[in-house]
Amino acid sequence: MVTHYEPYADSEEEAHPFCRTKSSENTLTDNHWDSVSCKKCLKLKDKAKAYVEETEKHILKDMQGMVDFWKKEKTLQS
């Protein structure tokens, strides 16, 4: 059995390991590199870390946009 890396593992959704290997016998871990044993995932570790960092920056930017929007809306309604 091999443990793959999936940055946003969700037990209710279909598994999508970062290396794109498909197998029902494998397990997944999210952001716990110590337990990853898949050689493909480990080879892609730097790319996976960059992907997670970029995704989180994008999420934070979107969240800040919503905060700014609601602040503006509140100011307009006051």
Side-chain angles (χ1 to χ4, degrees):
M1 184 178 297
V2 176
T3 301
H4 292 276
Y5 176 75
E6 183 176 2
Y8 303 106
D10 185 344
S11 61
E12 295 183 16
E13 292 186 18
E14 183 180 347
H16 297 287
F18 198 79
C19 68
R20 299 295 180 219
T21 301
K22 296 201 182 229
S23 174
S24 60
E25 306 234 346
N26 297 329
T27 58
L28 298 170
T29 184
D30 59 339
N31 291 319
H32 299 296
W33 283 101
D34 294 339
S35 59
V36 174
S37 59
C38 170
K39 290 180 182 178
K40 289 181 184 178
C41 287
L42 291 170
K43 187 176 180 180
L44 296 168
K45 185 175 181 177
D46 290 338
K47 287 184 180 182
K49 286 183 173 185
Y51 168 78
V52 169
E53 184 178 329
E54 190 62 34
T55 300
E56 290 178 0
K57 283 181 184 178
H58 182 73
I59 291 168
L60 289 173
K61 182 179 175 186
D62 286 348
M63 291 172 71
Q64 185 60 52
M66 276 305 271
V67 168
D68 294 343
F69 171 79
W70 286 112
K71 283 182 179 179
K72 182 179 176 184
E73 285 295 307
K74 185 177 180 181
T75 302
L76 291 175
Q77 292 177 1
S78 295

